[in-house]
Amino acid sequence: MARGKLIVFEGLDRSGKSSQSLRLVEKLEADGHHVLHMRFPDRTTPIGRLIDAYLKGESNQDDHVIHLLFSANRWEASSTIHSHLAANTTVVLDRYFYSGIAYTHAKSLLSSTSSPSPPPSPLTLDWCTSPDVGLPRPDLTLFLDLTLEEAARRGGYGGERYEKREMQERVREVFGRVWMGEGDAGRKAGEFVRVDAGKGMEEVEEEVWMNVRDMWESVEREGKGVGVF
Ligand code: NYM
Ligand code: MG
């Protein structure tokens, strides 16, 4: 029996991931596929509520602790994702572990420019990658890339932690490095496709769809099973 595909949307805040991921779900459903849409962080679980409070600035966490909570929030969904894929339901994710890696590592780049002595664990790219190793591997990751200028034109950011220009700049840089193949994350990235999210909604949607179709055909043709990251 055919299996579902795991499709991930990644990118900066304001890059259109939520809209594009929902549009893709509609399109796949119209094509007769079963689809589950999920987003990370999933703020509805007990771990997700800790993350939500942290993002809203209602609580503080050590950088390592919050990183591991974001990862744990994915691990608690891992068996659900696997069982849907096995039952031929495609899973579309709005953010996944690439966000985890990019945001935490970006934070370390910021703090290392502002504090003279290095912290005990420097939140390296590989340290940030390791808690997610073993999660279901995406068949396709669409990195919706947006310049900071375009994000600003779209009305700037909200008030959550990380939604600041300086941080977004670093996050974009780290996504770019992973996309270029750097570190364990880059080497393991597989189908990591950059989409110019500065284009119009329809154009982006079309590019997403073409990539999804290519991936779909190659997974079916080669009979690829579900992988692990
Ligand atoms: N974020 C998201 C992380 O820092 N680490 C993670 O592992 C994930 C999944 O949470 N600014 C950050 C990125 C966002 C914030 O996401 C909330 P959203 O999609 O804006 O709800
Ligand atoms: Mg956001």
Side-chain angles (χ1 to χ4, degrees), residues 40-41 43 48-61 66 70 103 159-163:
F40 291 111
R43 303 185 192 219
R49 285 195 283 279
L50 292 173
I51 294 172
D52 183 58
Y54 174 81
L55 288 171
K56 290 184 172 141
E58 295 162 5
S59 70
N60 289 315
Q61 299 277 1
I66 191 66
F70 272 114
Y103 280 79
E160 287 202 330
R161 212 184 276 258
Y162 305 154
E163 295 187 326

Short mmCIF file of all heavy atoms in Angstrom, two decimals, residues 40-41 43 48-61 66 70 103 159-163:
data_model
loop_
_atom_site.label_atom_id
_atom_site.label_comp_id
_atom_site.label_asym_id
_atom_site.label_seq_id
_atom_site.Cartn_x
_atom_site.Cartn_y
_atom_site.Cartn_z
N PHE A 40 4.30 23.31 14.40
CA PHE A 40 5.19 23.31 15.56
C PHE A 40 5.68 24.73 15.81
O PHE A 40 6.03 25.43 14.86
CB PHE A 40 6.38 22.37 15.35
CG PHE A 40 5.98 20.92 15.33
CD1 PHE A 40 6.04 20.18 14.16
CD2 PHE A 40 5.52 20.32 16.48
CE1 PHE A 40 5.64 18.85 14.14
CE2 PHE A 40 5.13 18.98 16.48
CZ PHE A 40 5.19 18.25 15.30
N PRO A 41 5.76 25.19 17.07
CA PRO A 41 5.36 24.41 18.23
C PRO A 41 3.84 24.14 18.24
O PRO A 41 3.06 24.97 17.81
CB PRO A 41 5.75 25.32 19.39
CG PRO A 41 5.72 26.71 18.84
CD PRO A 41 6.17 26.56 17.42
N ARG A 43 1.19 24.29 20.52
CA ARG A 43 1.06 24.96 21.83
C ARG A 43 -0.03 24.37 22.72
O ARG A 43 -0.25 24.84 23.83
CB ARG A 43 0.79 26.46 21.60
CG ARG A 43 1.87 27.14 20.75
CD ARG A 43 1.65 28.64 20.64
NE ARG A 43 2.51 29.23 19.62
CZ ARG A 43 3.12 30.41 19.72
NH1 ARG A 43 2.97 31.15 20.79
NH2 ARG A 43 3.86 30.86 18.73
N GLY A 48 3.88 22.23 25.08
CA GLY A 48 3.58 23.37 24.20
C GLY A 48 3.15 24.61 24.98
O GLY A 48 3.45 25.74 24.58
N ARG A 49 2.50 24.40 26.11
CA ARG A 49 2.08 25.56 26.93
C ARG A 49 3.28 26.24 27.59
O ARG A 49 3.31 27.45 27.74
CB ARG A 49 1.03 25.14 27.95
CG ARG A 49 -0.35 24.93 27.30
CD ARG A 49 -1.49 24.88 28.31
NE ARG A 49 -1.54 23.60 29.00
CZ ARG A 49 -2.10 22.49 28.51
NH1 ARG A 49 -2.65 22.50 27.30
NH2 ARG A 49 -2.09 21.37 29.20
N LEU A 50 4.29 25.43 27.94
CA LEU A 50 5.53 26.03 28.47
C LEU A 50 6.21 26.87 27.39
O LEU A 50 6.71 27.97 27.64
CB LEU A 50 6.50 24.93 28.94
CG LEU A 50 6.10 24.11 30.16
CD1 LEU A 50 7.09 22.95 30.37
CD2 LEU A 50 6.06 24.99 31.40
N ILE A 51 6.20 26.33 26.18
CA ILE A 51 6.82 27.04 25.05
C ILE A 51 6.06 28.34 24.76
O ILE A 51 6.66 29.40 24.54
CB ILE A 51 6.85 26.13 23.79
CG1 ILE A 51 7.77 24.94 24.02
CG2 ILE A 51 7.27 26.93 22.55
CD1 ILE A 51 7.72 23.87 22.92
N ASP A 52 4.75 28.25 24.77
CA ASP A 52 3.91 29.42 24.50
C ASP A 52 4.20 30.55 25.49
O ASP A 52 4.37 31.71 25.10
CB ASP A 52 2.43 28.99 24.56
CG ASP A 52 1.49 30.12 24.22
OD1 ASP A 52 1.61 30.67 23.10
OD2 ASP A 52 0.65 30.48 25.07
N ALA A 53 4.29 30.18 26.77
CA ALA A 53 4.56 31.20 27.80
C ALA A 53 5.93 31.83 27.58
O ALA A 53 6.12 33.04 27.72
CB ALA A 53 4.48 30.58 29.19
N TYR A 54 6.88 31.00 27.18
CA TYR A 54 8.24 31.50 26.91
C TYR A 54 8.22 32.47 25.72
O TYR A 54 8.79 33.57 25.78
CB TYR A 54 9.16 30.31 26.62
CG TYR A 54 10.55 30.72 26.18
CD1 TYR A 54 11.52 31.11 27.11
CD2 TYR A 54 10.90 30.72 24.82
CE1 TYR A 54 12.79 31.49 26.71
CE2 TYR A 54 12.17 31.10 24.41
CZ TYR A 54 13.11 31.48 25.36
OH TYR A 54 14.37 31.86 24.95
N LEU A 55 7.54 32.08 24.66
CA LEU A 55 7.52 32.94 23.45
C LEU A 55 6.82 34.27 23.73
O LEU A 55 7.19 35.30 23.19
CB LEU A 55 6.84 32.22 22.29
CG LEU A 55 7.64 31.07 21.66
CD1 LEU A 55 6.78 30.29 20.67
CD2 LEU A 55 8.91 31.59 20.97
N LYS A 56 5.81 34.21 24.59
CA LYS A 56 5.09 35.44 24.91
C LYS A 56 5.81 36.30 25.94
O LYS A 56 5.32 37.36 26.33
CB LYS A 56 3.69 35.10 25.41
CG LYS A 56 2.80 34.56 24.30
CD LYS A 56 1.39 34.31 24.77
CE LYS A 56 0.50 33.96 23.59
NZ LYS A 56 -0.47 32.89 23.94
N GLY A 57 6.93 35.79 26.45
CA GLY A 57 7.71 36.55 27.43
C GLY A 57 7.12 36.48 28.83
O GLY A 57 7.49 37.25 29.71
N GLU A 58 6.23 35.50 29.04
CA GLU A 58 5.64 35.35 30.38
C GLU A 58 6.53 34.52 31.30
O GLU A 58 6.30 34.45 32.50
CB GLU A 58 4.25 34.68 30.27
CG GLU A 58 3.24 35.54 29.52
CD GLU A 58 2.03 34.73 29.03
OE1 GLU A 58 1.92 33.52 29.35
OE2 GLU A 58 1.20 35.33 28.30
N SER A 59 7.50 33.81 30.69
CA SER A 59 8.43 33.05 31.51
C SER A 59 9.79 33.06 30.85
O SER A 59 9.91 33.35 29.66
CB SER A 59 7.95 31.60 31.66
OG SER A 59 8.08 30.94 30.42
N ASN A 60 10.81 32.74 31.63
CA ASN A 60 12.16 32.63 31.09
C ASN A 60 12.62 31.19 31.21
O ASN A 60 12.18 30.46 32.10
CB ASN A 60 13.12 33.55 31.85
CG ASN A 60 12.85 35.00 31.53
OD1 ASN A 60 12.67 35.36 30.35
ND2 ASN A 60 12.78 35.84 32.55
N GLN A 61 13.49 30.78 30.30
CA GLN A 61 14.07 29.43 30.33
C GLN A 61 15.52 29.56 29.92
O GLN A 61 15.85 30.40 29.07
CB GLN A 61 13.37 28.52 29.30
CG GLN A 61 11.89 28.31 29.50
CD GLN A 61 11.57 27.22 30.51
OE1 GLN A 61 12.48 26.62 31.10
NE2 GLN A 61 10.30 26.98 30.74
N ILE A 66 14.93 25.43 26.72
CA ILE A 66 13.84 25.73 25.78
C ILE A 66 14.08 25.00 24.45
O ILE A 66 13.16 24.50 23.82
CB ILE A 66 13.62 27.26 25.59
CG1 ILE A 66 12.32 27.54 24.81
CG2 ILE A 66 14.80 27.94 24.92
CD1 ILE A 66 11.06 27.15 25.51
N PHE A 70 11.34 22.46 22.74
CA PHE A 70 10.86 22.51 21.35
C PHE A 70 11.02 21.14 20.69
O PHE A 70 10.13 20.66 19.98
CB PHE A 70 11.65 23.55 20.53
CG PHE A 70 11.11 24.96 20.57
CD1 PHE A 70 11.83 25.99 21.18
CD2 PHE A 70 9.90 25.29 19.96
CE1 PHE A 70 11.36 27.31 21.19
CE2 PHE A 70 9.42 26.60 19.96
CZ PHE A 70 10.14 27.61 20.58
N TYR A 103 16.67 28.75 14.92
CA TYR A 103 16.40 29.79 15.92
C TYR A 103 17.36 29.70 17.11
O TYR A 103 17.86 30.70 17.58
CB TYR A 103 14.93 29.76 16.38
CG TYR A 103 14.00 30.45 15.40
CD1 TYR A 103 13.60 29.80 14.23
CD2 TYR A 103 13.56 31.75 15.60
CE1 TYR A 103 12.77 30.42 13.31
CE2 TYR A 103 12.72 32.38 14.68
CZ TYR A 103 12.32 31.72 13.54
OH TYR A 103 11.52 32.34 12.64
N GLY A 159 4.78 40.64 18.45
CA GLY A 159 5.48 41.00 19.68
C GLY A 159 6.14 39.84 20.40
O GLY A 159 6.59 39.99 21.53
N GLU A 160 6.20 38.65 19.75
CA GLU A 160 6.77 37.50 20.46
C GLU A 160 8.29 37.57 20.46
O GLU A 160 8.91 38.23 19.64
CB GLU A 160 6.31 36.19 19.82
CG GLU A 160 4.86 35.88 20.10
CD GLU A 160 4.51 34.41 19.96
OE1 GLU A 160 5.15 33.71 19.15
OE2 GLU A 160 3.59 33.98 20.67
N ARG A 161 8.85 36.84 21.43
CA ARG A 161 10.30 36.67 21.49
C ARG A 161 10.78 36.23 20.10
O ARG A 161 10.07 35.48 19.41
CB ARG A 161 10.58 35.56 22.50
CG ARG A 161 11.87 35.70 23.25
CD ARG A 161 12.04 34.49 24.12
NE ARG A 161 11.34 34.58 25.39
CZ ARG A 161 11.91 34.86 26.56
NH1 ARG A 161 13.19 35.15 26.62
NH2 ARG A 161 11.22 34.85 27.67
N TYR A 162 11.94 36.63 19.69
CA TYR A 162 12.57 36.32 18.38
C TYR A 162 12.04 37.18 17.24
O TYR A 162 12.63 37.18 16.17
CB TYR A 162 12.40 34.85 17.94
CG TYR A 162 12.86 33.81 18.91
CD1 TYR A 162 12.29 32.54 18.90
CD2 TYR A 162 13.87 34.06 19.85
CE1 TYR A 162 12.70 31.55 19.77
CE2 TYR A 162 14.28 33.08 20.72
CZ TYR A 162 13.69 31.83 20.70
OH TYR A 162 14.09 30.85 21.56
N GLU A 163 10.91 37.87 17.43
CA GLU A 163 10.34 38.62 16.31
C GLU A 163 10.96 40.01 16.23
O GLU A 163 10.26 41.02 16.36
CB GLU A 163 8.81 38.65 16.40
CG GLU A 163 8.24 37.25 16.25
CD GLU A 163 6.74 37.18 16.17
OE1 GLU A 163 6.07 38.00 16.81
OE2 GLU A 163 6.23 36.29 15.47
#
